[in-house]
Amino acid sequence: MSTIIDRRSSGTRSTSNQERLQRRVRARLKSAVEKMARSGSIEDLANADQPISIPTRDLHEPSFRRDFSDSSWERVLPGNKEYQRGDEINKPEGGGAGQGREGSPDSLGDDEVAIVLSADEFLDLLFDGLALPNLRKTAQGDVQAEQWRRAGFIKDGSPSRMHVGRTMRAARARRLALRAGKRRELQELEEARSKLQEEISTRIARKEDVSLEQERLKILDEQISILARKIKAIPFIDEADLRFAHIDQQPHPITNAVMFCVMDVSGSMGEKEKDLAKRFFLLLYLFLHRHYQAVQIVFIKHHSTATECTEQAFFGAREGGGTLVSPAIMLTEDIMTKRFPPDRWNVYVAQVSDGDNYFADNTVVAEHLHQLLPRLRNLFYLEVNRENESDLLQLYDGIAEDYPELITARASAREDIYPLFRTLFSSEEIPSHV
C-alpha cells in the first residue's frame, strides 16, 4: 500500500491572524462600498474609480510587542553608557496645548486609509450575495456560448504565459530520465574500478606483474571521466521542458434569461423621480452585466405611448406628456411573445413609476397583468417619491395576493435605492411587498 506524505507548508503561526485581518478588511470595504452606493452619484456607481476610505482601527495584525510605557528595564543593551539596570526614563517633553500635528494633505486622518478598488473588485463587493430569483433551466432554453477557459498546457506560447511550476516539473523529469541509465552505468564502472584496484594491490603485494591491470584501470578511468562529463552536460532546463498555460474558447450551457426595464418618462416624473428610477435601473444594469453575461436586457420607456429604446436613450430620457401604463405592459407582452417565449426563457420585468396613471387605464393594466404574470419569473414594481400609496400601487398589491411573482416596493430618497435593491435580489426568499 502506498503512503503519501504531504510536506507542504501549512503556514506560520500568524496565518490565522492574517486570515482574520483579511476578513475584517473585506467587511470594512463592503460597508464603505454600500455607503457609497446609498448616497453617491450615478457617475460614481458607473465608474467606481474613486478611492474608498476605511477606518484603520482593528486593522493591524495582532502580535506581541514590548510595552514601552513600563518605566523599568530588564536588560541593558551593549554600547549603553548612560543607563543601568533599574533606571527610570523621563517622559519626553512636549505635547502641551496648541501643539498639534500637521493635517494630512489628502484629507484623510491618521485613523483612515484610502484604498483604490478596480471596477471588478468594486462590483464584487457591491453585488455580493445577490442573484436573480427563481432562475431555472427551461425545457429547451440552454444554448451553447463560447467562453475563454483554461485548457491545460502547451509547449509553445507567449513568454508572459509560461508556467514555471510545470516547466520545472518537466525539466526534473527529463533530467531524471536521462541521468538514470548513465548513473547506473557509472556506478558499475566505479565498482569495477574498485575491484580492479584491490586486485592490483594484491598482485603488488605478491610482487606479480600488474601492467595489464594498470592498462585496464586507465581505460576505466577514461570511461568514468567521459560518462561523468556527459551527466554534467545534461542541461538544467531544455527548450523541450517549457510549458505555457493555454486558454481556449469552449462551449458551455447558459440559461436563457431576459430582463425588461420599464420606466415612466411622463411629465409627472420630475428630476428627483427620474434620478431615483435611473439609479435603480443602473444598479440593475451593472448587476446583470456583472453576474449574467448572457442575460439580455430590453429597455422600454413610456408616457402616453410606449417604445423600445436603446440603453443610451433609456438612461438619457427627458420626455414629458400624459401617463398610460397599459401600453408599456402590452409592448412587454408583445416583445416577449415574439422574441422571448417563456417556455425557453426566464423572463423578468422591472418597472419604475411615480404611480400616476389615468384612472380608466388601471382596468386595462389589471387585465393584461393577469395574462402576463403567469408567464414571468418575477415582476418588480418600484414606486418613487410619493407620500401616499397610489391607486396603481394598490392595484398591484391586490394582484400580488394571487400572484407571488409580483413584488412591489416604495422609495422616496436615493439612500433607499441600494438597500431596496439588495432586498429585491437577495438569494433568500423575497417578500411580496417591500
Side-chain angles (χ1 to χ4, degrees):
M1 181 180 67
S2 301
T3 302
I4 300 177
I5 301 176
D6 188 355
R7 301 188 183 277
R8 293 175 295 181
S9 174
S10 59
T12 64
R13 278 183 272 181
S14 64
T15 301
S16 59
N17 291 335
Q18 294 174 357
E19 292 175 352
R20 285 193 293 269
L21 175 63
Q22 292 173 0
R23 289 196 295 268
R24 288 200 300 270
V25 171
R26 179 177 176 84
R28 297 283 175 78
L29 284 174
K30 184 177 180 181
S31 177
V33 167
E34 291 178 354
K35 181 179 179 181
M36 181 178 177
R38 287 194 296 267
S39 58
S41 65
I42 293 180
E43 290 75 11
D44 292 339
L45 295 179
N47 298 328
D49 57 355
Q50 295 186 1
I52 298 176
S53 300
I54 61 173
T56 57
R57 61 181 183 274
D58 298 335
L59 293 186
H60 299 287
E61 182 181 344
S63 62
F64 290 101
R65 57 177 63 88
R66 179 178 177 82
D67 183 9
F68 290 100
S69 62
D70 187 3
S71 60
S72 62
W73 292 78
E74 297 180 355
R75 60 193 179 97
V76 178
L77 298 178
N80 173 50
K81 299 180 180 180
E82 183 177 358
Y83 299 102
Q84 300 296 329
R85 184 187 297 272
D87 289 349
E88 293 186 358
I89 301 176
N90 295 327
K91 184 177 180 179
E93 298 180 357
Q99 296 183 359
R101 287 176 293 179
E102 182 180 359
S104 174
D106 54 4
S107 302
L108 295 175
D110 292 338
D111 59 345
E112 289 185 338
V113 61
I115 299 178
V116 179
L117 299 177
S118 66
D120 291 340
E121 293 170 339
F122 182 87
L123 294 178
D124 283 339
L125 293 172
L126 188 66
F127 301 125
D128 183 31
L130 302 183
L132 280 176
N134 303 324
L135 183 64
R136 308 188 188 106
K137 287 187 176 181
T138 52
Q140 299 177 350
D142 292 338
V143 297
Q144 297 293 327
E146 299 292 332
Q147 184 176 7
W148 290 100
R149 291 185 177 180
R150 292 182 179 180
F153 302 91
I154 56 177
K155 294 185 177 181
D156 297 319
S158 170
S160 62
R161 303 197 62 84
M162 187 179 73
H163 196 280
V164 178
R166 288 280 181 169
T167 298
M168 300 303 295
R169 191 183 305 176
R172 184 172 181 271
R174 177 188 52 80
R175 294 196 305 270
L176 289 175
L178 293 179
R179 289 175 178 175
K182 292 182 175 58
R183 287 187 183 278
R184 287 195 297 267
E185 185 179 354
L186 180 62
Q187 184 178 2
E188 293 174 358
L189 291 177
E190 288 178 344
E191 291 176 354
R193 184 178 64 175
S194 178
K195 292 179 181 180
L196 184 58
Q197 287 176 341
E198 292 178 359
E199 182 181 353
I200 290 175
S201 298
T202 302
R203 295 180 67 87
I204 290 177
R206 297 176 182 175
K207 297 182 180 180
E208 296 178 355
D209 184 22
V210 294
S211 58
L212 294 176
E213 286 76 6
Q214 288 179 345
E215 288 293 331
R216 288 167 52 194
L217 181 62
K218 184 178 180 181
I219 294 173
L220 284 175
D221 288 338
E222 292 179 356
Q223 292 176 348
I224 290 174
S225 177
I226 293 173
L227 196 56
R229 286 198 299 269
K230 288 183 178 180
I231 294 176
K232 189 176 181 180
I234 295 176
F236 184 77
I237 293 181
D238 191 76
E239 186 175 354
D241 303 328
L242 299 180
R243 297 293 183 272
F244 300 87
H246 182 54
I247 59 174
D248 191 16
Q249 279 191 329
Q250 299 179 0
H252 67 101
I254 293 180
T255 301
N256 287 343
V258 58
M259 175 67 76
F260 287 86
C261 297
V262 182
M263 181 170 61
D264 182 4
V265 295
S266 63
S268 61
M269 289 281 288
E271 291 299 324
K272 183 176 181 180
E273 289 80 3
K274 290 181 180 179
D275 178 74
L276 295 177
K278 291 176 182 178
R279 177 176 292 272
F280 175 80
F281 282 123
L282 179 59
L283 284 173
L284 180 61
Y285 178 80
L286 293 174
F287 166 65
L288 294 176
H289 272 277
R290 178 63 182 166
H291 291 284
Y292 304 95
Q293 297 180 0
V295 171
Q296 297 196 29
I297 304 177
V298 178
F299 296 101
I300 296 176
K301 59 181 181 178
H302 73 94
H303 39 85
S304 57
T305 59
T307 56
E308 182 180 0
C309 61
T310 63
E311 169 193 338
Q312 292 77 12
F314 184 83
F315 287 105
R318 295 182 178 274
E319 300 183 20
T323 306
L324 288 176
V325 176
S326 60
I329 303 298
M330 295 168 62
L331 179 59
T332 301
E333 187 177 6
D334 182 59
I335 295 176
M336 181 186 66
T337 303
K338 294 179 179 179
R339 290 154 46 187
F340 307 102
D343 59 338
R344 298 187 57 191
W345 290 81
N346 291 276
V347 183
Y348 298 85
V349 176
Q351 180 185 359
V352 179
S353 173
D354 63 347
D356 285 346
N357 188 36
Y358 183 56
F359 69 93
D361 188 55
N362 287 342
T363 305
V364 183
V365 171
E367 179 183 350
H368 285 280
L369 281 180
H370 282 290
Q371 299 175 5
L372 179 64
L373 283 170
R375 307 164 68 186
L376 302 180
R377 290 286 183 254
N378 283 105
L379 189 153
F380 306 100
Y381 173 73
L382 174 62
E383 190 165 283
V384 294
N385 197 30
R386 194 179 183 98
E387 295 181 359
N388 301 320
E389 293 186 358
S390 66
D391 294 337
L392 184 62
L393 179 59
Q394 294 177 5
L395 172 66
Y396 276 60
D397 287 338
I399 298 175
E401 295 179 0
D402 299 325
Y403 296 94
E405 299 87 359
L406 176 56
I407 301 168
T408 62
R410 299 175 64 193
S412 58
R414 62 166 55 181
E415 291 80 8
D416 302 335
I417 298 298
Y418 180 69
L420 178 63
F421 183 84
R422 292 198 65 90
T423 302
L424 291 177
F425 293 97
S426 174
S427 55
E428 302 176 356
E429 185 176 354
I430 306 173
S432 60
H433 183 82
V434 182

